[in-house]
Amino acid sequence: MDVLAAVLPSAGLLVLFLLLVRSILHADRRERAAEAQVRRELRQSRDPGSPTS
């Protein structure tokens, strides 16, 4: 029981750290996708004859 009490705080911090890193990576991915979409829309508005892909 003493071992569990000693390991539990570190394990809890590890879980919190992993969740934080995961949320940062997901936010970065969403931001890059949104930026790519804006760039696509700008490129399309400047050159309306270009193919959309």
Side-chain angles (χ1 to χ4, degrees), residues 8-53:
L8 197 58
S10 296
L13 286 176
L14 176 64
V15 169
L16 287 175
F17 175 75
L18 291 175
L19 288 173
L20 176 68
V21 169
R22 182 177 179 260
S23 69
I24 289 171
L25 291 175
H26 281 277
D28 183 58
R29 185 178 302 136
R30 286 189 303 265
E31 182 179 358
R32 288 175 188 261
E35 185 177 350
Q37 178 67 29
V38 168
R39 288 177 188 257
R40 252 184 263 118
E41 290 172 0
L42 282 173
R43 198 168 38 241
Q44 203 172 36
S45 69
R46 291 181 186 163
D47 186 17
S50 67
T52 58
S53 55

